[in-house]
Amino acid sequence: MLSVSDAQAIILNLVQPLDNQRDIEVVNLLTADSRILATPVTSPLDFPHWDNSAMDGYAVRYEDVQHSSAEKPAVLEIVEEIPAGYQPQSTIQPGQTARIFTGALMPAGADTVVMQEKARREENRVFILDAPKPQEFVRHKACFYQAGTQLLPAGIKLNAPEIAVLAAAQCPQLAVYRRPRVAIFSTGDELVSVDQPLQAGQIVDSNQYAIAALVRQSGAEPVILGIVKDDPVALEKVITHAIAIADIVISSGGVSVGDYDYVDKILESLKAKIHIRAVQIKPGKPLTVATFPSTDAINRVSPLYFGLPGNPAAVLVTFWRFVLPAIKKLSGITEGWEPAFLKVRSHDELRSDGKNETYLWGKLHLIDGVYEFHKAGGSHSSGNLINLAQTNALAVLPVGKTLIYPQEEVQVLQLGKD
């Protein structure tokens, strides 16, 4: 049985990111939020576009005011007022100044801005009460970015700051990676849909909804294939269809060693290579990861198959731990796909049998400036879905660790973070 770290390494080595030529699409900037940039962006514009003022005050020649003080202020004639968006008309001569506002163009002849709090105005004259530094409060052309150089690299997720940069650079459209397609289905004769009346022994298929939500949150596109009964013929038909249309296939259930767990046998009949059958993790030990021979070596790589356990807690834990990093790498992000762990203080006593790497769900709270993990109340059975609500972190007890005391340090996987 594989360790968690070995399983993660195998999975990430199997993932081939989307192609930056074949797998791109052009989108409008207003719809580009959370997409992955496929090509580097440059701009023909300098930032700032011109020398401008970083403060409300007075545009001056430094040599006119370098010895100013409250006792001996420099007295300058105001020859112009320059609001933002106005083209200056005057050249500042010795003994002159212009009233200027934040963001406004610097007038010719001026090289420094004196903030208005350090000046006193009387009609068309201003008294400079304190000597500024040379070029103080002047934002020089191209000091933030020089035209023609790389503005944003490929392989980054476009969040609000990047969208703002692209808008300022007048990029109304841009090339992004297409969203990975993830086919999802659940297996089991006991499963029913959410709108179907329950009979004795039946279970509502919550896994499909949870996985679809997680796939959307990851930036991928879920393709819902429904519930498949424990019938080898039906399962083979759905799996064959799924691997033909998707980059990743996720099934839940049917990967254990029971008489009705057919998934691995069907994968083998379809010539799949099974790389993982079980992982030393709790919950989620029965985990299947497989790849298929590519039918089109030029245009399509082999889809990656994840056979997740059927119990809802195991589904969520194995998705967060193994599937999410794979989707991130596939999506074209150049770095940061691996799970990120924090060391925090545990509020509660945490227990494990020590046989497997154990994940306990709960919430992170910031207490007096220190993150603290609070374990969810109730049973941490892999079949208990209810206390998973509002989970934002998983505490990790490594193999051999059976007890973590309250206030002791624990490693946690923070959820819902990029």
Side-chain angles (χ1 to χ4, degrees), residues 1-8 10-11 275-289 318 321-322 355-357 359:
M1 187 161 43
L2 289 170
S3 70
V4 171
S5 60
D6 285 346
Q8 175 186 298
I10 289 171
I11 291 167
H275 302 269
I276 298 174
R277 295 180 186 268
V279 181
Q280 199 173 6
I281 186 173
K282 182 180 180 181
K285 182 172 70 172
L287 173 70
T288 293
V289 177
T318 50
R321 189 62 183 83
F322 300 116
K355 296 177 182 178
N356 299 290
E357 187 166 302
Y359 288 70

Side-chain angles (χ1 to χ4, degrees), residues 15 21-22 42 90 97 140 142 186 250 265 337 345 355:
V15 176
Q21 299 295 321
R22 185 177 65 245
T42 60
S90 302
T97 185
H140 292 283
S186 302
I250 303 175
K265 294 176 183 177
W337 346 288
R345 186 172 61 198
K355 296 177 182 178

Side-chain angles (χ1 to χ4, degrees), residues 255-268:
V255 293
S256 192
V257 292
D259 291 344
Y260 299 96
D261 294 322
Y262 299 120
V263 169
D264 283 11
K265 294 176 183 177
I266 292 170
L267 293 176
E268 289 172 343

Side-chain angles (χ1 to χ4, degrees), residues 107-299:
D111 57 18
T112 301
V113 173
V114 175
M115 61 190 300
Q116 62 188 15
E117 291 83 357
K118 294 185 177 181
R120 185 181 77 249
R121 181 171 181 172
E122 294 182 3
E123 297 181 348
N124 70 330
R125 296 189 306 165
V126 64
F127 294 77
I128 307 302
L129 307 176
D130 193 17
K133 297 176 182 177
Q135 304 185 53
E136 190 168 26
F137 299 125
V138 175
R139 294 186 290 224
H140 292 283
K141 179 181 178 180
C143 68
F144 301 156
Y145 167 81
Q146 187 173 9
T149 60
Q150 182 172 279
L151 183 65
L152 292 176
I156 62 170
K157 187 176 181 180
L158 298 174
N159 294 314
E162 292 77 26
I163 297 292
V165 167
L166 291 165
Q170 296 186 314
C171 296
Q173 294 184 317
L174 59 152
V176 298
Y177 286 103
R178 65 171 176 84
R179 296 185 187 277
R181 294 181 294 271
V182 181
I184 304 164
F185 65 92
S186 302
T187 68
D189 290 341
E190 75 280 13
L191 299 178
V192 297
S193 61
V194 295
D195 56 354
Q196 190 174 341
L198 279 175
Q199 304 296 324
Q202 292 183 328
I203 302 171
V204 175
D205 175 25
S206 62
N207 289 345
Q208 195 160 185
Y209 289 87
I211 295 170
L214 290 166
V215 166
R216 287 190 190 94
Q217 290 168 14
S218 75
E221 175 190 348
V223 181
I224 309 301
L225 300 182
I227 298 170
V228 184
K229 298 299 182 181
D230 288 323
D231 173 67
V233 175
L235 272 171
E236 181 173 342
K237 182 178 179 181
V238 170
I239 292 174
T240 301
H241 174 60
I243 62 177
I245 63 170
D247 303 293
I248 289 178
V249 179
I250 303 175
S251 64
S252 64
V255 293
S256 192
V257 292
D259 291 344
Y260 299 96
D261 294 322
Y262 299 120
V263 169
D264 283 11
K265 294 176 183 177
I266 292 170
L267 293 176
E268 289 172 343
S269 73
L270 294 173
K271 310 300 182 185
K273 180 177 181 180
I274 299 179
H275 302 269
I276 298 174
R277 295 180 186 268
V279 181
Q280 199 173 6
I281 186 173
K282 182 180 180 181
K285 182 172 70 172
L287 173 70
T288 293
V289 177
T291 53
F292 298 84
S294 177
T295 57
D296 186 346
I298 297 175
N299 293 319

